[in-house]
Amino acid sequence: MAEKREINPFIKTALELGPVIAFFIAYLMFKDDTFTVAGREYSGFIFVTAGFVPLIILTTGIGWKLTGHISKMQIMTLVLVIVFGGLTVWLNDPKFLKIKPTIFFSLMGGILGVGLWRGQSYLRYVMEGMMPLQDKGWMILTRRLMWFLFATALANELIWRFMSETTWVYFKTFGDTAAMFVFFMSQTKLFTEYAVEEDTQT
């Protein structure tokens, strides 16, 4: 198995945020246009989404090549982008693109809920390598994240149904990402209290 390699932080950030920023810029450029592909018309919204999927695949592949490592979280994200992005293009319905985050966040929250009901933290399976915690810490974090995901799903529904498409794109591109960042930053006390201490004994 290839050894994990460190890469320039600037390159790492560009690979992670580049596709999101590119999507937002492309949307602003093409949101009012219509494209015909193989005799089928697509709105600028759908067309930009179709370009986002291979871009995510490309940047994930480059990151894997440079670091020699791909995390479980990256694999899960890639699979979900391909599945939901493919459905968006296939259905060719902007409404599905807007309701997709509601489905995604509700599904993720539901999966975490099932794990909690079974006395397990499924979040631990995909994130343990990033932040080792004690069992109790994982359960608390998972419960909090579950409710956060349900709240984000509700926010998405309210925004796309009652606000403009541009407002929703701002929320989807930056809002939910910023909210997720704030959520994890707000858990600093939990990370400190339930951190797994390294065994320094020999």
Side-chain angles (χ1 to χ4, degrees):
M1 187 173 181
E3 181 182 353
K4 183 178 180 180
R5 300 180 294 274
E6 295 296 327
I7 62 173
N8 186 294
F10 177 79
I11 296 176
K12 184 175 185 294
T13 300
L15 291 173
E16 292 174 350
L17 298 182
V20 176
I21 295 174
F23 170 85
F24 180 71
I25 294 174
Y27 167 76
L28 294 179
M29 293 175 60
F30 303 117
K31 63 179 181 177
D32 297 322
D33 297 334
T34 300
F35 299 86
T36 301
V37 180
R40 193 179 186 189
E41 289 191 350
Y42 296 92
S43 68
F45 203 1
I46 302 295
F47 186 78
V48 170
T49 300
F52 181 70
V53 175
L55 186 57
I56 282 287
I57 296 173
L58 176 63
T59 54
T60 302
I62 292 174
W64 187 10
K65 179 69 174 179
L66 293 176
T67 65
H69 172 78
I70 184 169
S71 68
K72 296 171 184 176
M73 180 67 76
Q74 288 175 306
I75 294 173
M76 184 179 72
T77 300
L78 184 61
V79 170
L80 290 171
V81 167
I82 293 173
V83 171
F84 281 106
L87 282 173
T88 299
V89 176
W90 179 53
L91 295 173
N92 195 19
D93 184 357
K95 183 179 291 187
F96 175 76
L97 184 60
K98 295 174 183 177
I99 202 174
K100 181 175 64 174
T102 302
I103 298 172
F104 170 74
F105 290 124
S106 298
L107 179 62
M108 292 298 100
I111 290 173
L112 294 182
V114 169
L116 290 170
W117 178 67
R118 299 182 61 190
Q120 300 176 346
S121 170
Y122 292 159
L123 180 64
R124 180 177 189 170
Y125 176 74
V126 295
M127 297 191 70
E128 188 171 23
M130 303 178 191
M131 45 185 183
L133 296 173
Q134 300 172 28
D135 291 343
K136 185 177 180 180
W138 278 115
M139 295 300 287
I140 294 173
L141 180 62
T142 301
R143 187 176 299 106
R144 291 177 181 177
L145 182 60
M146 177 190 71
W147 290 115
F148 170 80
L149 291 171
F150 286 145
T152 306
L154 177 60
N156 183 74
E157 278 296 291
L158 294 174
I159 291 172
W160 85 261
R161 290 181 184 275
F162 300 108
M163 297 184 183
S164 68
E165 182 179 277
T166 300
T167 300
W168 177 83
V169 171
Y170 273 101
F171 169 75
K172 179 64 186 73
T173 307
F174 303 111
D176 58 4
T177 302
M180 186 68 74
F181 175 78
V182 171
F183 169 80
F184 278 102
M185 289 298 294
S186 69
Q187 306 306 308
T188 302
K189 183 178 179 181
L190 182 145
F191 297 149
T192 302
E193 183 176 354
Y194 293 100
V196 175
E197 298 182 3
E198 294 184 5
D199 186 1
T200 57
Q201 297 180 353
T202 56

